[in-house]
Amino acid sequence: MAKKSLVNRQARREELVARHAGARVELKRVVAHPDTDPDVRAEAVRRLSRLPRDSSPVRLRSRDQTDGRPRGMLTRFGLSRVRFRELALRGDMPGVRKASW
């Protein structure tokens, strides 16, 4: 189980990413466009750098939905490998069964 502080930090980051997504996309579009005036581009880069670091989607981490484990994620199920195996062996996941050949 992940520490509550790390799960809470992740939730704060998700909220920041959602709040600043529109501004970040607009500024990145201005910076990336080849016909943008250099002064306008420099101002857009400056404004982009003033946004909170945690508002970047790159800083988000996939976590297990049940216990917050950050590694070994199976994104299709939203679970870590440990939790997935546990639930599959107990038969709590419909349509999933242990392979045998």
Side-chain angles (χ1 to χ4, degrees):
M1 175 114 185
K3 290 170 48 175
K4 289 290 183 187
S5 61
L6 296 178
V7 174
N8 292 339
R9 184 185 306 165
Q10 176 73 10
R12 240 184 358 263
R13 283 182 178 156
E14 288 172 357
E15 190 269 326
L16 268 175
V17 167
R19 187 181 338 150
H20 294 287
R24 185 171 283 278
V25 167
E26 181 63 29
L27 290 170
K28 283 190 164 279
R29 187 186 60 77
V30 169
V31 170
H33 197 276
D35 296 336
T36 304
D37 183 48
D39 294 331
V40 174
R41 179 176 285 126
E43 178 59 27
V45 169
R46 223 174 285 115
R47 287 180 52 204
L48 191 60
S49 69
R50 280 197 303 250
L51 289 176
R53 281 188 181 184
D54 282 345
S55 69
S56 174
V58 172
R59 292 176 72 99
L60 292 178
R61 179 96 195 209
S62 300
R63 288 189 174 268
D64 187 320
Q65 292 176 348
T66 55
D67 64 2
R69 181 181 165 85
R71 298 186 185 251
M73 278 294 300
L74 301 171
T75 53
R76 182 175 178 184
F77 298 96
L79 299 170
S80 67
R81 62 181 177 79
V82 176
R83 183 73 51 195
F84 177 81
R85 183 172 189 273
E86 180 183 303
L87 293 175
L89 288 176
R90 274 194 303 184
D92 291 343
M93 297 181 68
V96 176
R97 61 182 177 165
K98 188 173 181 215
S100 61
W101 60 90

